[in-house]
Amino acid sequence: MSSRSKVTDQGSSTAGHGIVRRRGAVLALLIAVVFVVFVLVGAKILVDRSVYTPVAMGPVDAPAADSATCAEITDDLPDRIGDYRDVGVVDPAPDGSAGYRDSGGTELSLRCGVNAPGQYTLLSSVQDSGGEQWLQIADATPGSELTTWYSVGHSPVVAVTTDGRISASDLSDLGEVIARHGDSANAPAPADVPLADQSATHSDDCSALENALPDNLGEYRRLAPDSVSPDTAEAIDGSLVWVADGREPVVLRCGVDLPDSYEAGAQLTQIDEVPWFQDTALAEGSTAGVWYALGYADTVAVSLPLDAGNSVLTAVSEAIDDTLERTAEQ
């Protein structure tokens, strides 16, 4: 009996040590897991602090930025706009401003009370998001990837700018805020269509030119008059229009007069067989210049965004030389 009892005691002792060892291993594992979690949490906090820093902003022309409505809008802004989260603005923060960043640190700036862009015309394509009308404008500066979305359905106008990815659908929550506080009755009115103020004599050669021009000029596509509102169709009567998302339109008008800025001996740019004169005066807020084709019985004017490239004028020059009558001087 004593021998059997001794064996039993040894077995119990061995089992007890095994349980203790397993408990120790489990405890060590739990400690290791907790340690890893703390390390990851700490690392995330450090990364967040280095990535989600306030956005620095300088002064801009925003005449309504200090208005009561802009104060209401900025006080009611969503914590997130798409993938961007609110990080604040470096002091001293301009009136009507807010700053956001995404997980990669890309900035998104918001300005309330700015002027409506000069690019906003009857030809502009706007998108509805959150009950607000949004106009997308791409920066025409070479190499720039900045895009600004302007709210044009209410007053005051809000501008959202980033060089990262953002779509109209990402602006839904912000659109609801603007629609809730803004004034739709005083929303900015679209400007006239480029060249609409220039009278034109529509000759048979001009009709031939219009028929010879392509439906696409690079990324620009030809706008059909029956695809727009009656007011817009009336505004573009006598002109050809090509449009592209986020860009000012290309507008062509045949049979116009030369501008007052043109003088004999003015610098011309030769593209294929066509000499062009560029009127360097820009409309306020616009990035489009007007080019005039010389040396033909019908003078052609083209309103051309600065970032449209020479390919547009090259295609137009070819069609002009094929269809219009040259003058004796040419």
Side-chain angles (χ1 to χ4, degrees), residues 268-305:
L268 304 179
T269 300
Q270 187 82 16
I271 300 179
D272 291 339
E273 300 299 321
V274 182
W276 291 88
F277 168 70
Q278 183 184 13
D279 188 350
T280 56
L282 298 177
E284 183 179 356
S286 174
T287 64
V290 180
W291 293 73
Y292 294 84
L294 308 182
Y296 294 81
D298 296 288
T299 299
V300 175
V302 179
S303 176
L304 187 69

PDB file of all heavy atoms in Angstrom, residues 268-305:
ATOM      1  N   LEU A 268       4.111  86.940 -84.081  1.00  0.00           N
ATOM      2  CA  LEU A 268       3.209  85.870 -84.499  1.00  0.00           C
ATOM      3  C   LEU A 268       3.866  84.518 -84.268  1.00  0.00           C
ATOM      4  O   LEU A 268       5.088  84.400 -84.223  1.00  0.00           O
ATOM      5  CB  LEU A 268       2.850  86.015 -85.984  1.00  0.00           C
ATOM      6  CG  LEU A 268       2.228  87.348 -86.417  1.00  0.00           C
ATOM      7  CD1 LEU A 268       1.957  87.334 -87.913  1.00  0.00           C
ATOM      8  CD2 LEU A 268       0.949  87.642 -85.633  1.00  0.00           C
ATOM      9  N   THR A 269       3.028  83.504 -84.134  1.00  0.00           N
ATOM     10  CA  THR A 269       3.499  82.121 -83.988  1.00  0.00           C
ATOM     11  C   THR A 269       3.032  81.317 -85.190  1.00  0.00           C
ATOM     12  O   THR A 269       1.823  81.233 -85.451  1.00  0.00           O
ATOM     13  CB  THR A 269       2.945  81.495 -82.690  1.00  0.00           C
ATOM     14  OG1 THR A 269       3.389  82.256 -81.566  1.00  0.00           O
ATOM     15  CG2 THR A 269       3.429  80.048 -82.542  1.00  0.00           C
ATOM     16  N   GLN A 270       3.965  80.756 -85.933  1.00  0.00           N
ATOM     17  CA  GLN A 270       3.624  79.992 -87.128  1.00  0.00           C
ATOM     18  C   GLN A 270       3.393  78.534 -86.756  1.00  0.00           C
ATOM     19  O   GLN A 270       4.242  77.876 -86.157  1.00  0.00           O
ATOM     20  CB  GLN A 270       4.766  80.074 -88.153  1.00  0.00           C
ATOM     21  CG  GLN A 270       4.450  79.455 -89.489  1.00  0.00           C
ATOM     22  CD  GLN A 270       3.651  80.401 -90.394  1.00  0.00           C
ATOM     23  OE1 GLN A 270       3.596  81.604 -90.134  1.00  0.00           O
ATOM     24  NE2 GLN A 270       3.023  79.854 -91.420  1.00  0.00           N
ATOM     25  N   ILE A 271       2.210  78.042 -87.068  1.00  0.00           N
ATOM     26  CA  ILE A 271       1.882  76.627 -86.859  1.00  0.00           C
ATOM     27  C   ILE A 271       1.447  76.060 -88.202  1.00  0.00           C
ATOM     28  O   ILE A 271       0.406  76.444 -88.743  1.00  0.00           O
ATOM     29  CB  ILE A 271       0.784  76.448 -85.803  1.00  0.00           C
ATOM     30  CG1 ILE A 271       1.245  77.031 -84.462  1.00  0.00           C
ATOM     31  CG2 ILE A 271       0.417  74.978 -85.638  1.00  0.00           C
ATOM     32  CD1 ILE A 271       0.218  76.929 -83.352  1.00  0.00           C
ATOM     33  N   ASP A 272       2.276  75.188 -88.759  1.00  0.00           N
ATOM     34  CA  ASP A 272       2.091  74.702 -90.130  1.00  0.00           C
ATOM     35  C   ASP A 272       2.044  75.917 -91.068  1.00  0.00           C
ATOM     36  O   ASP A 272       2.969  76.695 -91.094  1.00  0.00           O
ATOM     37  CB  ASP A 272       0.849  73.827 -90.227  1.00  0.00           C
ATOM     38  CG  ASP A 272       1.036  72.497 -89.490  1.00  0.00           C
ATOM     39  OD1 ASP A 272       2.196  72.091 -89.272  1.00  0.00           O
ATOM     40  OD2 ASP A 272       0.028  71.865 -89.134  1.00  0.00           O
ATOM     41  N   GLU A 273       0.949  76.079 -91.810  1.00  0.00           N
ATOM     42  CA  GLU A 273       0.866  77.193 -92.759  1.00  0.00           C
ATOM     43  C   GLU A 273       0.169  78.416 -92.180  1.00  0.00           C
ATOM     44  O   GLU A 273      -0.021  79.410 -92.889  1.00  0.00           O
ATOM     45  CB  GLU A 273       0.117  76.736 -94.019  1.00  0.00           C
ATOM     46  CG  GLU A 273       0.760  75.576 -94.749  1.00  0.00           C
ATOM     47  CD  GLU A 273       2.157  75.924 -95.241  1.00  0.00           C
ATOM     48  OE1 GLU A 273       2.356  77.071 -95.700  1.00  0.00           O
ATOM     49  OE2 GLU A 273       3.048  75.051 -95.165  1.00  0.00           O
ATOM     50  N   VAL A 274      -0.212  78.373 -90.919  1.00  0.00           N
ATOM     51  CA  VAL A 274      -1.053  79.423 -90.351  1.00  0.00           C
ATOM     52  C   VAL A 274      -0.275  80.267 -89.335  1.00  0.00           C
ATOM     53  O   VAL A 274       0.254  79.723 -88.359  1.00  0.00           O
ATOM     54  CB  VAL A 274      -2.298  78.817 -89.668  1.00  0.00           C
ATOM     55  CG1 VAL A 274      -3.195  79.918 -89.109  1.00  0.00           C
ATOM     56  CG2 VAL A 274      -3.069  77.946 -90.645  1.00  0.00           C
ATOM     57  N   PRO A 275      -0.215  81.597 -89.537  1.00  0.00           N
ATOM     58  CA  PRO A 275       0.369  82.472 -88.519  1.00  0.00           C
ATOM     59  C   PRO A 275      -0.698  82.848 -87.488  1.00  0.00           C
ATOM     60  O   PRO A 275      -1.814  83.245 -87.840  1.00  0.00           O
ATOM     61  CB  PRO A 275       0.822  83.700 -89.318  1.00  0.00           C
ATOM     62  CG  PRO A 275      -0.071  83.729 -90.517  1.00  0.00           C
ATOM     63  CD  PRO A 275      -0.491  82.315 -90.795  1.00  0.00           C
ATOM     64  N   TRP A 276      -0.359  82.745 -86.222  1.00  0.00           N
ATOM     65  CA  TRP A 276      -1.305  83.015 -85.148  1.00  0.00           C
ATOM     66  C   TRP A 276      -0.833  84.209 -84.320  1.00  0.00           C
ATOM     67  O   TRP A 276       0.353  84.330 -84.005  1.00  0.00           O
ATOM     68  CB  TRP A 276      -1.451  81.806 -84.228  1.00  0.00           C
ATOM     69  CG  TRP A 276      -2.141  80.622 -84.829  1.00  0.00           C
ATOM     70  CD1 TRP A 276      -1.563  79.610 -85.533  1.00  0.00           C
ATOM     71  CD2 TRP A 276      -3.540  80.328 -84.761  1.00  0.00           C
ATOM     72  NE1 TRP A 276      -2.510  78.697 -85.923  1.00  0.00           N
ATOM     73  CE2 TRP A 276      -3.734  79.107 -85.460  1.00  0.00           C
ATOM     74  CE3 TRP A 276      -4.633  80.955 -84.186  1.00  0.00           C
ATOM     75  CZ2 TRP A 276      -4.990  78.518 -85.590  1.00  0.00           C
ATOM     76  CZ3 TRP A 276      -5.896  80.371 -84.325  1.00  0.00           C
ATOM     77  CH2 TRP A 276      -6.069  79.163 -85.005  1.00  0.00           C
ATOM     78  N   PHE A 277      -1.786  85.044 -83.929  1.00  0.00           N
ATOM     79  CA  PHE A 277      -1.527  86.132 -82.990  1.00  0.00           C
ATOM     80  C   PHE A 277      -2.219  85.801 -81.671  1.00  0.00           C
ATOM     81  O   PHE A 277      -3.415  85.502 -81.663  1.00  0.00           O
ATOM     82  CB  PHE A 277      -2.055  87.467 -83.523  1.00  0.00           C
ATOM     83  CG  PHE A 277      -2.078  88.568 -82.487  1.00  0.00           C
ATOM     84  CD1 PHE A 277      -0.902  89.126 -82.020  1.00  0.00           C
ATOM     85  CD2 PHE A 277      -3.287  89.022 -81.955  1.00  0.00           C
ATOM     86  CE1 PHE A 277      -0.911  90.123 -81.062  1.00  0.00           C
ATOM     87  CE2 PHE A 277      -3.311  90.018 -81.000  1.00  0.00           C
ATOM     88  CZ  PHE A 277      -2.123  90.572 -80.547  1.00  0.00           C
ATOM     89  N   GLN A 278      -1.465  85.852 -80.568  1.00  0.00           N
ATOM     90  CA  GLN A 278      -2.047  85.562 -79.260  1.00  0.00           C
ATOM     91  C   GLN A 278      -2.346  86.845 -78.517  1.00  0.00           C
ATOM     92  O   GLN A 278      -1.444  87.669 -78.292  1.00  0.00           O
ATOM     93  CB  GLN A 278      -1.113  84.694 -78.409  1.00  0.00           C
ATOM     94  CG  GLN A 278      -1.724  84.322 -77.060  1.00  0.00           C
ATOM     95  CD  GLN A 278      -0.770  83.538 -76.178  1.00  0.00           C
ATOM     96  OE1 GLN A 278       0.422  83.467 -76.445  1.00  0.00           O
ATOM     97  NE2 GLN A 278      -1.296  82.945 -75.115  1.00  0.00           N
ATOM     98  N   ASP A 279      -3.604  87.022 -78.170  1.00  0.00           N
ATOM     99  CA  ASP A 279      -4.001  88.130 -77.297  1.00  0.00           C
ATOM    100  C   ASP A 279      -3.735  87.673 -75.873  1.00  0.00           C
ATOM    101  O   ASP A 279      -4.403  86.771 -75.361  1.00  0.00           O
ATOM    102  CB  ASP A 279      -5.483  88.448 -77.496  1.00  0.00           C
ATOM    103  CG  ASP A 279      -5.913  89.707 -76.761  1.00  0.00           C
ATOM    104  OD1 ASP A 279      -5.113  90.225 -75.954  1.00  0.00           O
ATOM    105  OD2 ASP A 279      -7.056  90.164 -77.000  1.00  0.00           O
ATOM    106  N   THR A 280      -2.745  88.273 -75.220  1.00  0.00           N
ATOM    107  CA  THR A 280      -2.295  87.775 -73.914  1.00  0.00           C
ATOM    108  C   THR A 280      -3.195  88.196 -72.764  1.00  0.00           C
ATOM    109  O   THR A 280      -2.990  87.765 -71.635  1.00  0.00           O
ATOM    110  CB  THR A 280      -0.867  88.260 -73.627  1.00  0.00           C
ATOM    111  OG1 THR A 280      -0.825  89.696 -73.716  1.00  0.00           O
ATOM    112  CG2 THR A 280       0.118  87.673 -74.630  1.00  0.00           C
ATOM    113  N   ALA A 281      -4.177  89.055 -73.041  1.00  0.00           N
ATOM    114  CA  ALA A 281      -5.072  89.480 -71.968  1.00  0.00           C
ATOM    115  C   ALA A 281      -5.955  88.312 -71.545  1.00  0.00           C
ATOM    116  O   ALA A 281      -6.579  87.647 -72.379  1.00  0.00           O
ATOM    117  CB  ALA A 281      -5.939  90.645 -72.428  1.00  0.00           C
ATOM    118  N   LEU A 282      -5.992  88.046 -70.232  1.00  0.00           N
ATOM    119  CA  LEU A 282      -6.807  86.963 -69.690  1.00  0.00           C
ATOM    120  C   LEU A 282      -7.968  87.532 -68.905  1.00  0.00           C
ATOM    121  O   LEU A 282      -7.818  88.527 -68.196  1.00  0.00           O
ATOM    122  CB  LEU A 282      -5.972  86.051 -68.787  1.00  0.00           C
ATOM    123  CG  LEU A 282      -4.803  85.305 -69.429  1.00  0.00           C
ATOM    124  CD1 LEU A 282      -4.065  84.506 -68.361  1.00  0.00           C
ATOM    125  CD2 LEU A 282      -5.281  84.394 -70.544  1.00  0.00           C
ATOM    126  N   ALA A 283      -9.117  86.899 -69.010  1.00  0.00           N
ATOM    127  CA  ALA A 283     -10.242  87.273 -68.166  1.00  0.00           C
ATOM    128  C   ALA A 283      -9.912  86.944 -66.716  1.00  0.00           C
ATOM    129  O   ALA A 283      -9.157  86.013 -66.429  1.00  0.00           O
ATOM    130  CB  ALA A 283     -11.501  86.531 -68.605  1.00  0.00           C
ATOM    131  N   GLU A 284     -10.457  87.714 -65.796  1.00  0.00           N
ATOM    132  CA  GLU A 284     -10.153  87.500 -64.375  1.00  0.00           C
ATOM    133  C   GLU A 284     -10.529  86.088 -63.957  1.00  0.00           C
ATOM    134  O   GLU A 284     -11.640  85.627 -64.176  1.00  0.00           O
ATOM    135  CB  GLU A 284     -10.908  88.514 -63.522  1.00  0.00           C
ATOM    136  CG  GLU A 284     -10.601  88.411 -62.034  1.00  0.00           C
ATOM    137  CD  GLU A 284     -11.334  89.442 -61.212  1.00  0.00           C
ATOM    138  OE1 GLU A 284     -12.029  90.291 -61.797  1.00  0.00           O
ATOM    139  OE2 GLU A 284     -11.216  89.391 -59.976  1.00  0.00           O
ATOM    140  N   GLY A 285      -9.551  85.380 -63.356  1.00  0.00           N
ATOM    141  CA  GLY A 285      -9.796  84.029 -62.881  1.00  0.00           C
ATOM    142  C   GLY A 285      -9.694  82.964 -63.952  1.00  0.00           C
ATOM    143  O   GLY A 285      -9.830  81.790 -63.670  1.00  0.00           O
ATOM    144  N   SER A 286      -9.449  83.368 -65.196  1.00  0.00           N
ATOM    145  CA  SER A 286      -9.387  82.407 -66.288  1.00  0.00           C
ATOM    146  C   SER A 286      -7.941  82.084 -66.624  1.00  0.00           C
ATOM    147  O   SER A 286      -7.035  82.877 -66.380  1.00  0.00           O
ATOM    148  CB  SER A 286     -10.099  82.970 -67.526  1.00  0.00           C
ATOM    149  OG  SER A 286      -9.928  82.115 -68.637  1.00  0.00           O
ATOM    150  N   THR A 287      -7.732  80.910 -67.203  1.00  0.00           N
ATOM    151  CA  THR A 287      -6.400  80.525 -67.678  1.00  0.00           C
ATOM    152  C   THR A 287      -6.402  80.336 -69.184  1.00  0.00           C
ATOM    153  O   THR A 287      -5.503  79.718 -69.730  1.00  0.00           O
ATOM    154  CB  THR A 287      -5.944  79.219 -67.000  1.00  0.00           C
ATOM    155  OG1 THR A 287      -6.819  78.151 -67.401  1.00  0.00           O
ATOM    156  CG2 THR A 287      -5.957  79.350 -65.489  1.00  0.00           C
ATOM    157  N   ALA A 288      -7.410  80.860 -69.873  1.00  0.00           N
ATOM    158  CA  ALA A 288      -7.519  80.704 -71.317  1.00  0.00           C
ATOM    159  C   ALA A 288      -7.128  81.989 -72.019  1.00  0.00           C
ATOM    160  O   ALA A 288      -7.548  83.082 -71.637  1.00  0.00           O
ATOM    161  CB  ALA A 288      -8.944  80.309 -71.708  1.00  0.00           C
ATOM    162  N   GLY A 289      -6.313  81.844 -73.071  1.00  0.00           N
ATOM    163  CA  GLY A 289      -5.976  82.962 -73.927  1.00  0.00           C
ATOM    164  C   GLY A 289      -6.690  82.824 -75.256  1.00  0.00           C
ATOM    165  O   GLY A 289      -7.200  81.756 -75.598  1.00  0.00           O
ATOM    166  N   VAL A 290      -6.732  83.929 -76.013  1.00  0.00           N
ATOM    167  CA  VAL A 290      -7.409  83.906 -77.310  1.00  0.00           C
ATOM    168  C   VAL A 290      -6.363  84.041 -78.410  1.00  0.00           C
ATOM    169  O   VAL A 290      -5.520  84.939 -78.385  1.00  0.00           O
ATOM    170  CB  VAL A 290      -8.450  85.028 -77.420  1.00  0.00           C
ATOM    171  CG1 VAL A 290      -9.135  84.956 -78.781  1.00  0.00           C
ATOM    172  CG2 VAL A 290      -9.486  84.907 -76.313  1.00  0.00           C
ATOM    173  N   TRP A 291      -6.434  83.123 -79.370  1.00  0.00           N
ATOM    174  CA  TRP A 291      -5.519  83.096 -80.513  1.00  0.00           C
ATOM    175  C   TRP A 291      -6.305  83.437 -81.776  1.00  0.00           C
ATOM    176  O   TRP A 291      -7.442  82.985 -81.956  1.00  0.00           O
ATOM    177  CB  TRP A 291      -4.898  81.714 -80.663  1.00  0.00           C
ATOM    178  CG  TRP A 291      -3.971  81.326 -79.542  1.00  0.00           C
ATOM    179  CD1 TRP A 291      -4.307  80.974 -78.273  1.00  0.00           C
ATOM    180  CD2 TRP A 291      -2.545  81.249 -79.618  1.00  0.00           C
ATOM    181  NE1 TRP A 291      -3.187  80.682 -77.544  1.00  0.00           N
ATOM    182  CE2 TRP A 291      -2.084  80.834 -78.343  1.00  0.00           C
ATOM    183  CE3 TRP A 291      -1.610  81.470 -80.635  1.00  0.00           C
ATOM    184  CZ2 TRP A 291      -0.732  80.648 -78.070  1.00  0.00           C
ATOM    185  CZ3 TRP A 291      -0.261  81.287 -80.360  1.00  0.00           C
ATOM    186  CH2 TRP A 291       0.168  80.883 -79.085  1.00  0.00           C
ATOM    187  N   TYR A 292      -5.671  84.229 -82.665  1.00  0.00           N
ATOM    188  CA  TYR A 292      -6.310  84.643 -83.915  1.00  0.00           C
ATOM    189  C   TYR A 292      -5.473  84.158 -85.091  1.00  0.00           C
ATOM    190  O   TYR A 292      -4.263  84.414 -85.161  1.00  0.00           O
ATOM    191  CB  TYR A 292      -6.442  86.164 -83.977  1.00  0.00           C
ATOM    192  CG  TYR A 292      -7.382  86.734 -82.934  1.00  0.00           C
ATOM    193  CD1 TYR A 292      -6.944  87.009 -81.631  1.00  0.00           C
ATOM    194  CD2 TYR A 292      -8.712  87.005 -83.245  1.00  0.00           C
ATOM    195  CE1 TYR A 292      -7.803  87.529 -80.680  1.00  0.00           C
ATOM    196  CE2 TYR A 292      -9.585  87.526 -82.294  1.00  0.00           C
ATOM    197  CZ  TYR A 292      -9.119  87.777 -81.021  1.00  0.00           C
ATOM    198  OH  TYR A 292      -9.977  88.299 -80.070  1.00  0.00           O
ATOM    199  N   ALA A 293      -6.119  83.450 -86.020  1.00  0.00           N
ATOM    200  CA  ALA A 293      -5.445  82.965 -87.226  1.00  0.00           C
ATOM    201  C   ALA A 293      -5.481  84.070 -88.279  1.00  0.00           C
ATOM    202  O   ALA A 293      -6.561  84.566 -88.647  1.00  0.00           O
ATOM    203  CB  ALA A 293      -6.135  81.707 -87.740  1.00  0.00           C
ATOM    204  N   LEU A 294      -4.306  84.468 -88.768  1.00  0.00           N
ATOM    205  CA  LEU A 294      -4.198  85.557 -89.727  1.00  0.00           C
ATOM    206  C   LEU A 294      -3.914  85.013 -91.126  1.00  0.00           C
ATOM    207  O   LEU A 294      -3.533  83.855 -91.294  1.00  0.00           O
ATOM    208  CB  LEU A 294      -3.074  86.508 -89.305  1.00  0.00           C
ATOM    209  CG  LEU A 294      -3.116  87.026 -87.865  1.00  0.00           C
ATOM    210  CD1 LEU A 294      -1.962  87.986 -87.622  1.00  0.00           C
ATOM    211  CD2 LEU A 294      -4.442  87.694 -87.575  1.00  0.00           C
ATOM    212  N   GLY A 295      -4.068  85.898 -92.121  1.00  0.00           N
ATOM    213  CA  GLY A 295      -3.697  85.544 -93.485  1.00  0.00           C
ATOM    214  C   GLY A 295      -4.783  84.879 -94.280  1.00  0.00           C
ATOM    215  O   GLY A 295      -4.511  84.361 -95.381  1.00  0.00           O
ATOM    216  N   TYR A 296      -6.012  84.874 -93.790  1.00  0.00           N
ATOM    217  CA  TYR A 296      -7.121  84.239 -94.501  1.00  0.00           C
ATOM    218  C   TYR A 296      -8.290  85.210 -94.569  1.00  0.00           C
ATOM    219  O   TYR A 296      -8.401  86.138 -93.755  1.00  0.00           O
ATOM    220  CB  TYR A 296      -7.535  82.942 -93.816  1.00  0.00           C
ATOM    221  CG  TYR A 296      -6.460  81.871 -93.883  1.00  0.00           C
ATOM    222  CD1 TYR A 296      -5.393  81.863 -93.000  1.00  0.00           C
ATOM    223  CD2 TYR A 296      -6.509  80.882 -94.863  1.00  0.00           C
ATOM    224  CE1 TYR A 296      -4.396  80.902 -93.078  1.00  0.00           C
ATOM    225  CE2 TYR A 296      -5.518  79.907 -94.952  1.00  0.00           C
ATOM    226  CZ  TYR A 296      -4.464  79.933 -94.055  1.00  0.00           C
ATOM    227  OH  TYR A 296      -3.474  78.980 -94.139  1.00  0.00           O
ATOM    228  N   ALA A 297      -9.151  85.002 -95.550  1.00  0.00           N
ATOM    229  CA  ALA A 297     -10.273  85.921 -95.741  1.00  0.00           C
ATOM    230  C   ALA A 297     -11.177  85.958 -94.512  1.00  0.00           C
ATOM    231  O   ALA A 297     -11.771  86.996 -94.187  1.00  0.00           O
ATOM    232  CB  ALA A 297     -11.066  85.508 -96.990  1.00  0.00           C
ATOM    233  N   ASP A 298     -11.292  84.841 -93.830  1.00  0.00           N
ATOM    234  CA  ASP A 298     -12.081  84.775 -92.584  1.00  0.00           C
ATOM    235  C   ASP A 298     -11.117  84.617 -91.417  1.00  0.00           C
ATOM    236  O   ASP A 298     -10.324  83.660 -91.378  1.00  0.00           O
ATOM    237  CB  ASP A 298     -13.049  83.591 -92.617  1.00  0.00           C
ATOM    238  CG  ASP A 298     -14.085  83.730 -93.700  1.00  0.00           C
ATOM    239  OD1 ASP A 298     -14.988  84.570 -93.563  1.00  0.00           O
ATOM    240  OD2 ASP A 298     -13.978  82.998 -94.706  1.00  0.00           O
ATOM    241  N   THR A 299     -11.183  85.547 -90.464  1.00  0.00           N
ATOM    242  CA  THR A 299     -10.327  85.459 -89.287  1.00  0.00           C
ATOM    243  C   THR A 299     -10.965  84.507 -88.280  1.00  0.00           C
ATOM    244  O   THR A 299     -12.163  84.615 -87.974  1.00  0.00           O
ATOM    245  CB  THR A 299     -10.136  86.842 -88.642  1.00  0.00           C
ATOM    246  OG1 THR A 299      -9.513  87.713 -89.583  1.00  0.00           O
ATOM    247  CG2 THR A 299      -9.269  86.743 -87.386  1.00  0.00           C
ATOM    248  N   VAL A 300     -10.174  83.593 -87.775  1.00  0.00           N
ATOM    249  CA  VAL A 300     -10.649  82.590 -86.810  1.00  0.00           C
ATOM    250  C   VAL A 300     -10.080  82.915 -85.444  1.00  0.00           C
ATOM    251  O   VAL A 300      -8.870  83.167 -85.311  1.00  0.00           O
ATOM    252  CB  VAL A 300     -10.230  81.168 -87.225  1.00  0.00           C
ATOM    253  CG1 VAL A 300     -10.626  80.147 -86.160  1.00  0.00           C
ATOM    254  CG2 VAL A 300     -10.856  80.803 -88.567  1.00  0.00           C
ATOM    255  N   ALA A 301     -10.942  82.920 -84.444  1.00  0.00           N
ATOM    256  CA  ALA A 301     -10.516  83.122 -83.053  1.00  0.00           C
ATOM    257  C   ALA A 301     -10.723  81.832 -82.290  1.00  0.00           C
ATOM    258  O   ALA A 301     -11.756  81.155 -82.447  1.00  0.00           O
ATOM    259  CB  ALA A 301     -11.308  84.246 -82.395  1.00  0.00           C
ATOM    260  N   VAL A 302      -9.746  81.482 -81.454  1.00  0.00           N
ATOM    261  CA  VAL A 302      -9.829  80.272 -80.639  1.00  0.00           C
ATOM    262  C   VAL A 302      -9.507  80.639 -79.202  1.00  0.00           C
ATOM    263  O   VAL A 302      -8.416  81.145 -78.911  1.00  0.00           O
ATOM    264  CB  VAL A 302      -8.858  79.182 -81.125  1.00  0.00           C
ATOM    265  CG1 VAL A 302      -8.966  77.939 -80.226  1.00  0.00           C
ATOM    266  CG2 VAL A 302      -9.126  78.809 -82.563  1.00  0.00           C
ATOM    267  N   SER A 303     -10.459  80.421 -78.307  1.00  0.00           N
ATOM    268  CA  SER A 303     -10.204  80.560 -76.870  1.00  0.00           C
ATOM    269  C   SER A 303      -9.624  79.245 -76.392  1.00  0.00           C
ATOM    270  O   SER A 303     -10.289  78.199 -76.466  1.00  0.00           O
ATOM    271  CB  SER A 303     -11.496  80.884 -76.118  1.00  0.00           C
ATOM    272  OG  SER A 303     -11.260  80.930 -74.715  1.00  0.00           O
ATOM    273  N   LEU A 304      -8.368  79.311 -75.897  1.00  0.00           N
ATOM    274  CA  LEU A 304      -7.623  78.082 -75.638  1.00  0.00           C
ATOM    275  C   LEU A 304      -7.042  78.081 -74.223  1.00  0.00           C
ATOM    276  O   LEU A 304      -6.266  78.979 -73.879  1.00  0.00           O
ATOM    277  CB  LEU A 304      -6.495  77.954 -76.663  1.00  0.00           C
ATOM    278  CG  LEU A 304      -5.693  76.664 -76.680  1.00  0.00           C
ATOM    279  CD1 LEU A 304      -6.559  75.512 -77.169  1.00  0.00           C
ATOM    280  CD2 LEU A 304      -4.461  76.816 -77.574  1.00  0.00           C
ATOM    281  N   PRO A 305      -7.386  77.103 -73.381  1.00  0.00           N
ATOM    282  CA  PRO A 305      -6.761  77.000 -72.060  1.00  0.00           C
ATOM    283  C   PRO A 305      -5.249  76.829 -72.184  1.00  0.00           C
ATOM    284  O   PRO A 305      -4.762  76.193 -73.127  1.00  0.00           O
ATOM    285  CB  PRO A 305      -7.414  75.758 -71.444  1.00  0.00           C
ATOM    286  CG  PRO A 305      -8.698  75.596 -72.189  1.00  0.00           C
ATOM    287  CD  PRO A 305      -8.418  76.077 -73.587  1.00  0.00           C
TER     288      PRO A 305
END
